[in-house]
Amino acid sequence: MPSLGADMDEGTLVEWLTTVGAEVARGEVVAVVETAKSTIEVECFESGTVTELLVEPGTTVPVGTPLAVISPTAPVRPPPARGPVPAGDATATPLVRHQAAEEGVELAALHGSGRGGRITRSDVSRAAHPAPSRHPAPSRVHASPLARRLAESLGVDLSAVRGSGRHGAVKADDVRAAAGSRTGPDQAATVKEASVAAGARRAPKAAASDTGTSAAAAAAASASASTSTSDRAAIARLMSRAKREIPHYYLSTTIDLAAALEWMRRQNSTRPVGERLVPAALLLKAVASAAREVPELNGHWTDGRFVAAAGVRLGTAVSVRGGGLVAPALADADRMPLTDVMATLKDLVSRARHGRLRASETADPTLTVTNLGDQGVESVFGVIYPPQVAMVGLGRVTERPVAVAGMIALHPTVTATLSADHRASDGATGARFLTTLDRLLQHPEDL
Amino acid sequence: MNREEALETIRAVIEEAVPGADLSAVPSDENFRERLEMDSLDFLAFVEALSGRTGLALPEQDYPALATLDGCADYVAGHTGGAQSEPA
């Protein structure tokens, strides 16, 4: 069961799209899974023959639970990197590759436990410093009652915790340790079992119910009924953890958008309707570029220290009609021409709302932007998504009086805010970020 | 395209851009973008689709005329040679 978001801890297998004995190729859609938020088409992480389906449709299992066994068709398993990788998909981020090279770990020998089957930093660490005894995650976890309560309140998946108690029982301390360094369940050691967990696509709930078997559809329907509750519970856990662990500091500045929007208006007057820009595209491009210029805010807090990300993956909170929020990552917006940022944004938002997101697009944002401008508020101070270290908030574009050459004029403005993790950066760094954002938006032609 | 055809096209395009939108609850002289909580990308999707169906360029400076169903219908009918029912 792949993890498709920091707040996902279990999923319901709705339908198998493959059978025992079937040949499957890496990247092929083999199952439909429902999470608290949406229905996802799960792609296969390995090529080979399906020898066993371990989970019945309608069953809800924790993230990290093997769903099926795939035996390699070839005697030697080809390195994942040589598989038919879908565009934009990657099994490891450059940062993880770098870590693997430093620690002398062969990435091809690892199973990714991250979203989309990505190999995470923890996977590499575990391979580099193996624990004395290691078991594949058992389907039923032995844990002390205190450990269970702690796991529940900290949002830790028990089946992903290595127990140090008798017979591998999970103790409270193990849960605390896992909560501190968690990026995914421990699957690195289960080399023989190729678990089906990799790239995945989100599909709207209703559509998946239509295509499911009757039992699966019933399961999906019952899951939908409890969605708002479990969704809230997942958000509650993640946000509680953020506020408990992250000492936030907050900065705010109001940015004059007259130059940017006038430039955009002139651009749009010459562009065909399909290539017109919206202010959000300029703002997101500027945020991504500012993140590149101030790398101290672009990355993750892992194992007690800040690790800067190699590239900018801008998590972009998108509200989904009918409630809910998904935050697909806009990759490398800082390096893309503005026209491409706009096209990518349209594509991502449209698919987030109509249900065609791939798992790789929800994976590992390095910095998140929340934009409540369309809801009409002037400013928003976000709660940081761990393990990220900052959250940018953009309010409504609104006309305000500004001083221009000693005169007062009405200009369109936006209030940009920054919530940042004081463990990773200081206020001066945050201020530099917002100042950079302001400067970039005064020169839209360079965006 | 006469005004009635235009209105039909506009309704279809909005329902396409905003799946599940209940247009029957939106008075034809009210700002449907606000009423349906369409963000800038939703509105652009609407403009794009309407442009595709009608062949009109729908430049950005004309967006204010497209704020209501009545406004859209008059605009589309007026610019495609259909009769306007009343002056907007």
Side-chain angles (χ1 to χ4, degrees):
Chain A
M1 178 63 65
S3 171
L4 295 146
D7 51 356
M8 170 175 169
D9 38 35
E10 61 180 25
T12 304
L13 183 85
V14 174
E15 187 190 7
W16 280 112
L17 301 175
T18 189
T19 54
V20 170
E23 292 278 318
V24 291
R26 184 187 152 83
E28 194 177 322
V29 174
V30 290
V32 179
V33 161
E34 181 164 273
T35 73
K37 286 182 178 174
S38 54
T39 303
I40 296 156
E41 287 177 20
V42 178
E43 291 164 311
C44 195
F45 185 44
E46 301 283 338
S47 296
T49 307
V50 178
T51 54
E52 204 179 344
L53 300 178
L54 301 170
V55 175
E56 286 288 314
T59 315
T60 300
V61 295
V63 166
T65 307
L67 297 179
V69 178
I70 297 168
S71 297
T73 312
V76 179
R77 202 158 47 85
R82 285 205 213 130
V85 183
D89 202 349
T91 52
T93 61
L95 181 66
V96 170
R97 285 203 192 97
H98 178 71
Q99 186 196 349
E102 277 197 337
E103 307 217 33
V105 172
E106 182 72 51
L107 279 179
L110 292 186
H111 274 253
S113 67
R115 274 158 280 171
R118 263 165 199 267
I119 295 167
T120 66
R121 287 178 291 280
S122 294
D123 293 335
V124 175
S125 297
R126 274 194 290 268
H129 315 285
S133 73
R134 182 111 44 95
H135 311 282
S139 53
R140 175 167 287 159
V141 181
H142 296 286
S144 70
L146 177 59
R148 279 187 200 283
R149 277 203 303 277
L150 258 182
E152 175 74 21
S153 69
L154 296 178
V156 169
D157 179 359
L158 270 183
S159 71
V161 177
R162 259 197 315 276
S164 65
R166 215 196 307 176
H167 304 305
V170 176
K171 301 198 302 188
D173 279 347
D174 303 330
V175 175
R176 289 193 193 99
S181 66
R182 169 177 66 132
T183 53
D186 180 1
Q187 271 190 295
T190 60
V191 181
K192 284 181 193 152
E193 280 189 338
S195 82
V196 175
R201 279 184 302 213
R202 283 164 187 254
K205 278 184 187 304
S209 299
D210 291 343
T211 56
T213 63
S214 57
S222 73
S224 297
S226 63
T227 288
S228 60
T229 319
S230 64
D231 211 8
R232 279 292 6 129
I235 292 170
R237 274 195 296 278
L238 188 69
M239 293 296 102
S240 301
R241 181 181 156 211
K243 279 288 188 170
R244 188 171 50 242
E245 292 178 6
I246 302 176
H248 288 62
Y249 70 86
Y250 304 97
L251 304 173
S252 158
T253 195
T254 295
I255 297 173
D256 189 337
L257 288 183
L261 295 187
E262 173 55 24
W263 178 84
M264 191 186 89
R265 196 188 59 74
R266 282 200 311 272
Q267 283 286 314
N268 282 350
S269 67
T270 63
R271 286 173 182 239
V273 61
E275 289 173 23
R276 279 178 209 163
L277 303 167
V278 297
L282 273 75
L283 292 167
L284 289 174
K285 171 84 206 260
V287 169
S289 301
R292 190 185 52 197
E293 289 195 30
V294 187
E296 296 96 322
L297 297 175
N298 183 59
H300 302 104
W301 184 263
T302 309
D303 298 333
R305 68 191 183 96
F306 172 68
V307 182
V312 179
R313 289 178 58 83
L314 206 56
T316 310
V318 177
S319 62
V320 179
R321 246 172 278 289
L325 202 71
V326 290
L330 197 56
D332 299 322
D334 55 318
R335 295 161 203 261
M336 260 186 227
L338 193 53
T339 303
D340 293 359
V341 174
M342 180 66 201
T344 309
L345 177 67
K346 270 161 81 170
D347 179 47
L348 272 182
V349 170
S350 155
R351 284 187 297 115
R353 288 184 175 154
H354 304 119
R356 302 296 302 176
L357 278 186
R358 271 174 235 114
S360 54
E361 292 166 338
T362 67
D364 297 334
T366 57
L367 174 69
T368 295
V369 181
T370 180
N371 180 355
L372 285 184
D374 283 315
Q375 267 81 41
V377 299
E378 289 185 355
S379 61
V380 49
F381 291 89
V383 178
I384 299 165
Y385 278 83
Q388 293 166 50
V389 300
M391 161 83 85
V392 177
L394 299 172
R396 176 164 52 110
V397 175
T398 181
E399 289 201 331
R400 289 188 178 93
V402 295
V404 181
M407 304 282 282
I408 290 179
L410 277 185
H411 281 191
T413 61
V414 69
T415 298
T417 70
L418 180 78
S419 308
D421 185 338
H422 217 327
R423 297 172 303 182
S425 68
D426 297 322
T429 305
R432 187 149 49 86
F433 178 87
L434 288 181
T435 311
T436 303
L437 181 61
D438 190 342
R439 173 172 53 75
L440 291 167
L441 284 166
Q442 301 317 314
H443 302 282
E445 66 282 358
D446 298 334
L447 280 176
Chain B
M1 197 177 277
N2 67 33
R3 195 176 186 284
E4 218 154 276
E5 291 163 345
L7 200 56
E8 201 172 305
T9 303
I10 290 155
R11 286 179 182 277
V13 164
I14 293 175
E15 275 160 11
E16 222 168 83
V18 189
D22 184 9
L23 268 178
S24 63
V26 183
S28 63
D29 60 349
E30 200 168 298
N31 187 319
F32 62 85
R33 179 176 167 178
E34 282 173 15
R35 188 69 181 250
L36 299 176
E37 297 182 350
M38 293 166 70
D39 66 16
S40 52
L41 287 171
D42 290 326
F43 191 72
L44 186 60
F46 160 73
V47 171
E48 235 181 299
L50 188 61
S51 173
R53 296 276 190 95
T54 61
L56 298 172
L58 304 178
E60 211 174 44
Q61 64 264 25
D62 290 351
Y63 285 3
L66 304 176
T68 65
L69 288 173
D70 281 344
C72 282
D74 291 340
Y75 184 96
V76 171
H79 285 75
T80 52
Q84 267 179 250
S85 63
E86 293 164 29

